Each structure stands twice: as C-alpha cells, then as structure tokens.
Amino acid sequence: MTKLFTVEHPSPRDTHIHLMGIGGIGVSAFARLLKARGYHVSGCDAQASELTRQLEAEGITVQLGHDAAHLQAHSGEPAVSVLVASEAVPKTHPEVCAALDAGISVLPRMQLLAELLEAGPSVGVIGTHGKTTTSSMIAVALAGAGLDPAAFVGGIVPEFGANARAGQGPFVAEVDESDRRFAQLSCETAVFTNAEDDHVGGNQATYWETVEEQHAGFAQFVSQAKRVLYYADWQGLEGRSLEHLVAGCAEQLSYGVAEGCTYRAESLRPDPGGTSFTVTCRGEVLGQARVSLPGHHNAMNALAALAVTHLYGGDFGRAALALAAFKGPGRRWQHIGELHGAQVVDDYAHNPTKLQAAVQAAQQTGRRVRVIFQPHRYLRTQQSWPRLADALMSADEVMVLDIAAAGELPIEGIHSQLIVDRMSSSGHTSASYWPQRGDVVDYLRRTAGEGDIIVTMGAGDVWQLARQLVEPADEPLPPLKEAR
C-alpha cells in the first residue's frame, strides 16, 4: 500500500496532494498539516464555506465540485501525485477512477492519520464523548508547558486559530471511531475517555453493526499503543468501566476522582465559571488547576490534559495556567454572546450523555437553563429518543427543532414530537416542538432575561440560531407565536 512519508514520495516540494472534501473539519486539518510540511496541497468540496475560504487565504487551492480535471497541473503546481479520499467515497467516483487510471496514489484518510501518528511521539484521543475538547486541551496544555506539539483536532481551537497546529511534537490527534479503520492505527499514548453505543446499528459507512464490534475496535486501538491513559470513573453501558477494554495494553494509567487513579483530581471546587481542583500523581501533589468551562466532564478532560503533559515532561504550572485561560474549541460550550443579559452558548451535544453533561454544565452557572435542541439523524433518534428526552428533563425549558437528517432518509414514525411528548408525560411543563426556527428566535428575543442561559445543542446547523440571537433584530418583531 502507498505510504506518503517514505522514499516513494521523497520530496514534499515535488509531491502534490489533493484532498476530496477539503471543507470538512478533519480534512481541512490534514490540508494545513501537509502544507506546513512543505507539500503542494489542493482540495475540492461540493460548496464553499468559511473553512474553505480560510484555506484559500492560507494559500491552499480549493475547487468547487468534483471533477477529474482537478488532478491535472494548474496554477503553477505540479499534477496531483496523491489523492486523499475517505472510505465513504466510492471507488467508482469519477475523481477516484481518474486517479487510479492515471496511476496516481489513492490514500484513505485514516492511512494518512496513521502515518502522522507513527512518524514520531504521538497521542491519540479516542472515546464516544469528549474527544475534541480533550485533544484541544492536551495540545493547549503541552504548548503552554513549553513543548511544541502538532495537533489534529475536530474543532477550531482559539489558541491556534485553526483545527491544526504544526509543531515538532508530540503529535496530538483526535481519532474518530466513526471510521472503522481507526482500530488499525497505533500511537505512543492512547487517551481513552469513555465508550458508549454511538455510531452503532446502521449500514452507513459511519456506523458499526453492533456495539460489541465497535468496542472491540477501541480495545484493538488501545492494545497497539505503548501506554493507555483511561478515565477510571466511567461507568457506561450496563455499568461497565473501561478496564476490560484496556487490558491488552502493556502500560495502563488511569485518571479520575476515584481512589487508586494514577492521576487524580481532588478537592473539586465548582463555581459558575468553571471548576478548580488539586492534581495528584500516585498520591503526590503536582499542583493546583482550574478549567474555565463548567461541568464535571470538563474538569476530567482538563485532568487528562495535565496528565499527558506530565507524561511528556512539560511544566505543570505553565500547563495549568494555559488550561485556566482556555475557553473551549468551536461548538464545545462556545460562548456566542448575550441577549438582554442572557448568556448564549452553543454546544455540539447530540446524544444522551452529552446532553446530560451540557445541561449539568448550564446548571452550574446558577442561571435558568433554556435549551434549543436539534436531534441529529433519523436512525440516531429512533435508537435513543427516550434517552434524549430523559437527558433533557433537568433543563428549565426545552425547545425541540426538527431532526437534522445529515443525508439520511426519514424513518416513518420518527419525529421530534416523540421527545417532547415523553418529557411532558414525565412531568416536564416547558418542553415544546418548534417547526419554524424563526419563531424560536423571535420568542427568545422577547422573553430572554439576565438570569437565563440559552444553549443551542446538536450536531446539525442549530448553531446558526445562537448567532442569530445575539445579532440585532433588523425589523420589529411579529406577534408572538406559540409552540406546538
């Protein structure tokens, strides 16, 4: 199989890499890392976006649509010598067929990540929840501690102004289990946050057939690492911890609040703006830390980052200061602004555990919690709508939008109203379905107050509503419409 960082492609200056789907959060990070290594980099995507415009401003050629002509020499660059495409792109795609016919190397995205992980000291972050935040925190902590990490993250990290960072290492990567090839990757340090049943139960490219199959993938990835740092407090499906999934790794380290953790957070002191705590390693105090993001889960993510920094010899105090200033990656508890004194926050939470964690974080602020939730995918909603409803029960008010299809066809009987009806039957008095998104914005503009926190939640485009809420209204508001 073709390898990029070998004698087959000895000189970056003579190698032109073309990435399909370059506007995606992961592929755009690859583009930035490859350009930093000196390669000619171009890409294509179905439509322009803020990300593609940023890449163009950084000197990366982006073409709209998909066309075999993209592989030819253009704009002073040599002809494409490597095409990078995800496994979801069929081998019959015209661009892929043209590359194969021309003898151009076709590289799956996961193989490219594998090579980056194997090129030097590396940290691979896996788990159903918290990968983006944890990998961001690790990179920020390592940089703050005086090291020079490279990073590959599924979100925009404000400290880097991008979803990638070019550095000498260690290389920190978010490893997404939605691509089944992830299990074949190896790294020096595996950070394992948790394991549930997301991306399970469908025949799409991003789903596993069974949760057992997915968890076997986690175990395989961990077994190939030099060491694993796992969250010892996790009690996931059927109350099972992660210990049974990390048994195959030669060196097992743990983090959490439980007695016996290698790295432990003690004396946790939550407040409306975050959580302060003491960090110990095998009983020895390393120092004081703070995360300026509410929620117990964010304190644990920060603990993992400080543990990795300690493992790689970084200065603990400087790492702790960097994390205290960290405000989170894009779409992970991202403060958007204010509306009539109400805080407006956007969060990527889209499955039950993430929803519950985001609601708990909102409650930590001491404000009235008002949630706008957009369910993601029909299959996901079919599998988990009762748990989604239960996870939202502790919010003061919940406004549910239509399901974000994400390319899936509707499933008969699966509708957002299911979530609302279950919440209402369970005693929630302020859960409602809003078929018209503009009505939600109008309603909140009329009713938001200083004691509120408004959180948009979901993996679709619900984030747009958060931004609309903090923008001045162009016209007088129409008469208030009631939700269904």
Side-chain angles (χ1 to χ4, degrees):
M1 182 176 285
T2 298
K3 281 188 173 290
L4 185 59
F5 309 135
T6 64
V7 293
E8 193 169 344
H9 298 286
S11 172
R13 291 192 304 273
D14 299 327
T15 305
H16 179 176
I17 305 172
H18 183 75
L19 301 106
M20 297 181 67
I22 197 169
I25 194 69
V27 182
S28 59
F30 279 134
R32 285 167 162 148
L33 290 171
L34 291 168
K35 186 174 189 301
R37 286 173 172 252
Y39 291 94
H40 294 277
V41 179
S42 66
C44 58
D45 213 312
Q47 58 188 18
S49 66
E50 183 60 32
L51 257 178
T52 61
R53 286 187 283 271
Q54 290 173 0
L55 294 175
E56 289 182 296
E58 296 166 20
I60 296 172
T61 301
V62 177
Q63 296 159 306
L64 297 184
H66 297 288
D67 194 315
H70 295 167
L71 306 179
Q72 301 170 6
H74 56 82
S75 303
E77 293 182 333
V80 169
S81 45
V82 178
L83 176 69
V84 176
S86 76
E87 287 298 292
V89 178
K91 298 296 185 289
T92 55
H93 191 288
E95 214 162 327
V96 176
C97 287
L100 294 172
D101 290 344
I104 295 171
S105 303
V106 177
L107 200 66
R109 286 191 304 173
M110 271 297 171
Q111 186 184 332
L112 178 55
L113 181 56
E115 292 192 39
L116 289 166
L117 286 167
E118 293 168 5
S122 60
V123 179
V125 182
I126 61 169
T128 312
H129 320 296
K131 294 185 296 292
T132 299
T133 302
T134 303
S135 53
S136 299
M137 285 183 174
I138 292 171
V140 167
L142 289 171
L147 303 177
D148 185 26
F152 171 86
V153 181
I156 303 300
V157 183
E159 283 78 357
F160 308 150
N163 49 358
R165 183 184 194 273
Q168 296 302 306
F171 173 55
V172 182
E174 174 180 346
V175 181
D176 189 358
E177 78 281 359
S178 67
D179 188 325
R180 302 179 195 188
R181 293 171 63 99
F182 94 93
Q184 301 170 24
L185 275 56
S186 62
C187 63
E188 183 174 57
T189 303
V191 177
F192 196 179
T193 61
N194 43 59
E196 274 196 342
D197 57 353
D198 202 19
H199 289 286
V200 172
N203 56 9
Q204 294 97 328
T206 57
Y207 281 81
W208 295 73
E209 290 187 11
T210 67
V211 68
E212 291 79 14
E213 192 179 86
Q214 184 202 60
H215 287 190
F218 282 137
Q220 180 181 342
F221 179 90
V222 168
S223 70
Q224 292 156 183
K226 176 182 176 182
R227 68 170 73 93
V228 61
L229 174 70
Y230 70 96
Y231 181 38
D233 300 342
W234 179 253
Q235 297 295 321
L237 298 174
E238 300 177 352
R240 298 189 73 183
S241 70
L242 297 180
E243 290 184 359
H244 68 294
L245 296 179
V246 304
C249 187
E251 183 180 0
Q252 301 163 29
L253 309 174
S254 60
Y255 69 98
V257 299
E259 293 280 354
C261 287
T262 313
Y263 291 91
R264 190 174 178 214
E266 301 181 12
S267 304
L268 275 77
R269 302 175 296 281
D271 58 66
T275 304
S276 301
F277 54 97
T278 303
V279 179
T280 63
C281 176
R282 295 186 172 89
E284 178 184 346
V285 174
L286 297 182
Q288 301 301 312
R290 176 172 176 77
V291 59
S292 298
L293 297 168
H296 181 80
H297 62 296
N298 281 318
M300 295 302 97
N301 295 338
L303 175 62
L306 291 167
V308 171
T309 303
H310 183 253
L311 288 171
Y312 283 88
D315 183 274
F316 179 90
R318 291 170 62 184
L321 286 174
L323 283 181
F326 179 65
K327 298 300 183 184
R331 296 230 58 215
R332 272 69 176 181
W333 202 258
Q334 183 177 1
H335 285 264
I336 305 302
E338 291 193 355
L339 173 65
H340 307 321
Q343 290 184 6
V344 178
V345 172
D346 177 52
D347 196 89
Y348 193 67
H350 58 278
N351 62 30
T353 301
K354 291 177 180 177
L355 288 178
Q356 188 173 33
V359 171
Q360 185 265 325
Q363 289 176 316
Q364 189 174 319
T365 68
R367 292 170 173 255
R368 179 170 63 144
V369 179
R370 309 180 74 180
V371 172
I372 308 172
F373 174 56
Q374 181 187 37
H376 191 242
R377 296 182 181 270
Y378 287 97
L379 180 58
R380 261 193 181 134
T381 307
Q382 181 185 48
Q383 293 171 333
S384 60
W385 65 264
R387 289 187 290 154
L388 293 171
D390 296 347
L392 292 166
M393 283 295 293
S394 57
D396 296 291
E397 183 177 13
V398 178
M399 293 148 274
V400 185
L401 307 178
D402 282 321
I403 297 169
E408 292 184 359
L409 295 175
I411 297 175
E412 185 177 356
I414 301 304
H415 192 275
S416 296
Q417 190 70 48
L418 291 169
I419 298 169
V420 173
D421 289 347
R422 180 178 175 89
M423 294 183 69
S424 298
S425 65
S426 299
H428 203 292
T429 58
S430 297
S432 52
Y433 164 56
W434 293 77
Q436 301 298 323
R437 296 158 61 114
D439 293 343
V440 180
V441 175
D442 293 343
Y443 166 67
L444 288 170
R445 281 178 175 162
R446 291 176 177 278
T447 60
E450 290 186 0
D452 294 343
I453 181 167
I454 301 168
V455 189
T456 54
M457 297 185 190
D461 61 357
V462 66
W463 58 270
Q464 295 176 354
L465 272 66
R467 284 148 182 82
Q468 291 175 28
L469 286 171
V470 302
E471 294 172 354
D474 295 330
E475 300 175 0
L477 295 176
L480 184 63
K481 296 182 180 180
E482 295 296 329
R484 292 184 184 179

